[in-house]
Amino acid sequence: MAEGVYPTIRFPQTTVECEGCGAEFDVNWFCKNCPASLCDACKEKHSKDRLMKKHEVVLRTGSVLWTHGSWKLNEPCQKHKGNDLVTYCNECKTPCCLICTEEKHKTHDWTRLNTKYFDAESLLNALVDDLSKSSIPTIQNETSNLKQKIDSCNEDFSRVNSHLNIVEDELHKALAQSFDVMRKDLSEKQSKCISKINEKIENFESQIKEIEILIASTEQKIRAGGLDLIEYNPECPQILSCHSDVSTPVPYFVLNEGILNEIKSNLGKINYDDRKYKTLDVSVKQEGDQKSSIQDVGKVGMPDLQIEKISSFQADIKGRSIKPVGNDTAWLSWHSLDSIYLYDSSGNKIKSVTIQGSGGILGMAVQRSGDIIVSCRDDAVRHVSVDGKITTLINTAPFIPQGVCLTDTEEIVVCMSGQKDKNHVVLYTPDGKSKVREIKARGKDSKQLLTSPYAVVINDDQLVVVNHHCNVMSLDQQSSEVLWVYDGKQAKLDVQFTPLGICNDKFSNLLVTDQKNHCIHYLDRKGILIKVFMTKNFGLQNPWGIGVDNEWIKGDRIWCGSANSQEIFLLKYLK
């Protein structure tokens, strides 16, 4: 390139500021040591500072410095108008025009500005080449290695994550299998436990039946031999107990040694402990005795036994049929309504089920599953599941199905009424598809005894039926033989006996509601009157439906409804 010929290369131009205060005017000085551009005021402060007073501060010429800011070739000199900057003073580090060079920088080390530019350009190109050849490839190589490592880490992470997912699935499966094994083991243990309990219950029931037989035999011998019965606990006279230390209050008789020895000899396989028996010598009743200690159980009854009202509540219906189902609840129904209602003892209605087109619910029985068997006024017996599904089981036409109950094997017992001398009781299979047997009770003269079967209950092995407003009759389930009939005369009440509802308690005693006499007749399993409870004394008029909750924590709790009102009464025995 010819001397004096300068290429036109432009860089972005910036305004020079004072690096002390930021001023853009009077920036006339430059410190070579800092290096920094300074205004007049900052130059004075700079020179007086003890740390920088030895710095070399020179007058700044030109608008732009080489080391501070951008510049361009052929830029005009700010001091000498019309003259371009063509040289660069290496000592002052500033571009100069020819006049500046001649006046102030003639003796300085200077070089032409384009030469300085091209030297700088060459230096920059060399630096760029060095970076391209060494540093950039190294950085690129390290970046590539780093990327490979990241990819490898990602692959490892994916493998570990996949393995963890597999382990998690296997762990879930193992836990599920363990839970299944535990549930199965628990179920087996529960079944074994229940089986043992049932065996014990069966054993107890068998012993109780043997004792009852022994009691009946002993009672006969007592009466036949004229022996004095000198002690008598009237709380429950229908049962003879030789035990004196049982937790539940039960009746006991104190007998002489002769009778006691006979009882022991008749017990057979039943275990007993001599310390559990009370004995006392008694003499044979002599003729002419003014005072006899013999008391007839059937006539004397239980003078101290009473029932009292616990509470009552208003239901949506009257209670013709009442079936306690545990958990402090009972189902209620009425013969002119299509619905059945579940209430708790506080009077809260838990739920209701409507049997459309039934014409009214006449009777109810509850299965072990919680499902309900209902007899309906439209000549049908239906099954109501726990979830409310309704299925017709039996068509009873032309008979009206009044009362209904279940045997121990859940056979369905239905009172067939409405056909005068053809009325009877039928046992059906649990699914209602087949008849097991018909029970038609007739007297010696073939007279129909089941005149109007209205309500029915299974009491041990007996089928106890209420003939509407007539009597209570016990029948043998197999032979249809009439075992006993209770007509209410033993109670010696002023109004004719009008039985409606019936249930039994855990002692196999029967409670029968007497509507017109406003009372409940309490009978033993042989149909002997124990006690008459006058319900009108606590406001229960015309008692109808009745049921006993044997699961109540405080003993047998009696639920009873009325024909007069929708008030449901809760009663209990007073010991």
Side-chain angles (χ1 to χ4, degrees):
M1 182 179 295
E3 188 74 11
V5 179
Y6 309 110
T8 303
I9 301 176
R10 298 187 178 275
F11 293 86
Q13 186 172 357
T14 60
T15 303
V16 178
E17 295 178 352
C18 173
E19 294 188 30
C21 64
E24 296 181 359
F25 304 98
D26 299 325
V27 185
N28 299 321
W29 302 94
F30 181 80
C31 177
K32 293 182 178 181
N33 299 90
C34 286
S37 300
L38 302 169
C39 65
D40 294 342
C42 291
K43 183 261 180 186
E44 292 297 323
K45 294 178 183 179
H46 190 277
S47 300
K48 292 177 180 179
D49 191 295
R50 66 183 185 84
L51 297 176
M52 296 180 287
K53 63 183 180 178
K54 294 183 179 181
H55 287 193
E56 184 179 0
V57 181
V58 297
L59 185 66
R60 183 182 183 279
T61 58
S63 61
V64 182
L65 292 177
W66 174 263
T67 58
H68 291 74
S70 302
W71 49 270
K72 61 182 179 180
L73 297 178
N74 297 335
E75 183 177 358
C77 180
Q78 298 295 320
K79 188 175 181 181
H80 302 98
K81 303 296 182 181
N83 292 282
D84 292 336
L85 299 173
V86 294
T87 64
Y88 182 80
C89 179
N90 295 318
E91 294 181 11
C92 297
K93 300 185 184 299
T94 182
C96 310
C97 66
L98 291 177
I99 297 174
C100 291
T101 303
E102 193 64 30
E103 289 179 351
K104 293 185 179 183
H105 305 280
K106 185 175 182 180
T107 60
H108 293 178
D109 179 21
W110 57 269
T111 185
R112 288 188 177 278
L113 190 60
N114 62 343
T115 302
K116 193 70 174 176
Y117 167 79
F118 287 115
D119 288 344
E121 184 180 40
S122 299
L123 181 63
L124 288 172
N125 290 334
L127 182 61
V128 170
D129 290 341
D130 181 60
L131 289 173
S132 301
K133 292 178 181 179
S134 59
S135 299
I136 292 177
T138 301
I139 293 172
Q140 290 176 341
N141 186 41
E142 291 180 355
T143 302
S144 177
N145 291 337
L146 183 60
K147 184 178 179 182
Q148 291 178 359
K149 289 180 179 180
I150 291 172
D151 293 339
S152 177
C153 288
N154 287 335
E155 292 177 357
D156 292 341
F157 175 78
S158 298
R159 284 196 298 271
V160 171
N161 189 48
S162 177
H163 179 68
L164 287 176
N165 289 335
I166 294 172
V167 171
E168 183 180 10
D169 292 340
E170 292 177 351
L171 183 60
H172 282 309
K173 291 179 181 178
L175 287 173
Q177 291 175 355
S178 299
F179 285 140
D180 290 340
V181 172
M182 291 172 64
R183 278 193 290 267
K184 184 178 179 181
D185 184 55
L186 182 62
S187 178
E188 291 177 353
K189 290 181 178 179
Q190 184 180 13
S191 299
K192 290 180 181 178
C193 182
I194 291 173
S195 177
K196 290 181 179 179
I197 291 173
N198 288 333
E199 288 178 3
K200 289 183 178 180
I201 291 173
E202 290 176 359
N203 187 32
F204 289 150
E205 290 177 346
S206 175
Q207 291 184 14
I208 288 170
K209 288 183 178 179
E210 291 185 33
I211 291 173
E212 286 178 347
I213 294 171
L214 174 62
I215 289 168
S217 173
T218 305
E219 284 178 344
Q220 291 177 359
K221 290 184 179 181
I222 289 173
R223 292 191 176 106
L227 295 175
D228 283 341
L229 191 61
I230 66 167
E231 284 194 21
Y232 164 65
N233 183 346
E235 289 186 2
C236 201
Q238 74 283 5
I239 298 175
L240 175 66
S241 173
C242 299
H243 295 272
S244 62
D245 59 347
V246 291
S247 57
T248 303
V250 297
Y252 60 91
F253 294 87
V254 181
L255 308 174
N256 66 11
E257 284 289 346
I259 296 177
L260 180 60
N261 290 333
E262 185 171 355
I263 291 174
K264 289 181 180 179
S265 65
N266 289 332
L267 285 175
K269 297 181 181 180
I270 301 175
N271 295 325
Y272 66 89
D273 185 343
D274 285 342
R275 291 173 297 176
K276 293 182 180 179
Y277 293 86
K278 285 187 176 181
T279 63
L280 185 67
D281 287 333
V282 297
S283 59
V284 177
K285 178 180 173 184
Q286 300 294 326
E287 267 186 50
D289 279 348
Q290 305 229 346
K291 211 169 187 198
S292 172
S293 60
I294 297 179
Q295 302 186 57
D296 187 286
V297 172
K299 293 181 180 178
V300 173
M302 301 175 68
D304 295 332
L305 179 64
Q306 295 291 338
I307 59 174
E308 70 171 354
K309 175 182 174 182
I310 305 171
S311 62
S312 65
F313 63 87
Q314 289 292 329
D316 290 346
I317 62 171
K318 298 178 182 179
R320 164 173 170 153
S321 181
I322 300 178
K323 296 299 175 184
V325 290
N327 296 323
D328 204 31
T329 59
W331 284 99
L332 312 180
S333 71
W334 184 248
H335 55 256
S336 61
L337 297 177
D338 284 341
S339 299
I340 58 176
Y341 298 82
L342 182 65
Y343 280 88
D344 65 17
S345 62
S346 298
N348 299 311
K349 183 171 70 174
I350 300 172
K351 66 177 180 179
S352 64
V353 179
T354 299
I355 299 95
Q356 295 290 348
S358 66
I361 308 302
L362 302 178
M364 293 187 295
V366 181
Q367 295 179 324
R368 298 186 187 94
S369 63
D371 295 352
I372 306 170
I373 304 297
V374 294
S375 56
C376 304
R377 208 163 192 165
D378 63 344
D379 302 343
V381 176
R382 293 181 172 88
H383 173 271
V384 181
S385 65
V386 174
D387 57 5
K389 184 179 178 181
I390 301 169
T391 307
T392 299
L393 300 181
I394 306 167
N395 181 4
T396 64
F399 294 94
I400 299 173
Q402 292 284 356
V404 63
C405 72
L406 301 174
T407 66
D408 292 339
T409 56
E410 296 204 335
E411 292 175 330
I412 303 171
V413 183
V414 185
C415 292
M416 299 294 190
S417 186
Q419 296 295 312
K420 295 184 179 180
D421 59 344
K422 295 182 180 180
N423 295 336
H424 60 289
V425 176
V426 182
L427 274 71
Y428 290 90
T429 55
D431 58 8
K433 294 181 179 180
S434 303
K435 287 184 180 180
V436 177
R437 73 181 63 87
E438 292 183 352
I439 297 177
K440 299 179 179 179
R442 298 189 180 276
K444 294 181 180 179
D445 55 356
S446 299
K447 182 180 179 181
Q448 170 69 305
L449 299 180
L450 287 172
T451 55
S452 54
Y454 185 78
V456 62
V457 66
I458 298 294
N459 196 39
D460 293 337
D461 56 345
Q462 301 177 26
L463 192 69
V464 184
V465 181
V466 171
N467 280 313
H468 184 259
H469 283 197
C470 183
N471 57 34
V472 180
M473 182 179 297
S474 176
L475 305 170
D476 185 274
Q477 292 188 49
Q478 301 297 327
S479 65
S480 302
E481 177 187 357
V482 177
L483 303 177
W484 52 262
V485 176
Y486 176 77
D487 57 9
K489 293 180 181 179
Q490 298 94 317
K492 297 180 180 179
L493 298 172
D494 296 332
V495 182
Q496 181 183 352
F497 182 44
T498 54
L500 287 177
I502 187 170
C503 69
N504 53 353
D505 61 17
K506 63 185 176 184
F507 300 113
S508 296
N509 296 330
L510 299 163
L511 294 106
V512 182
T513 58
D514 184 349
Q515 183 184 12
K516 292 184 179 180
N517 287 294
H518 313 293
C519 64
I520 297 173
H521 296 247
Y522 191 44
L523 313 178
D524 70 5
R525 65 187 307 274
K526 297 178 182 179
I528 298 174
L529 177 65
I530 299 172
K531 185 75 176 180
V532 175
F533 302 123
M534 303 306 296
T535 60
K536 64 181 179 181
N537 294 337
F538 43 78
L540 175 53
Q541 301 282 341
N542 301 109
W544 199 314
I546 191 167
V548 175
D549 181 3
N550 294 324
E551 296 183 9
W552 190 40
I553 191 170
K554 297 181 181 179
D556 287 346
R557 178 169 53 185
I558 304 164
W559 295 60
C560 192
S562 169
N564 282 7
S565 70
Q566 296 176 348
E567 187 173 7
I568 305 299
F569 289 77
L570 279 80
L571 317 172
K572 71 174 183 179
Y573 294 124
L574 279 178
K575 296 179 181 178

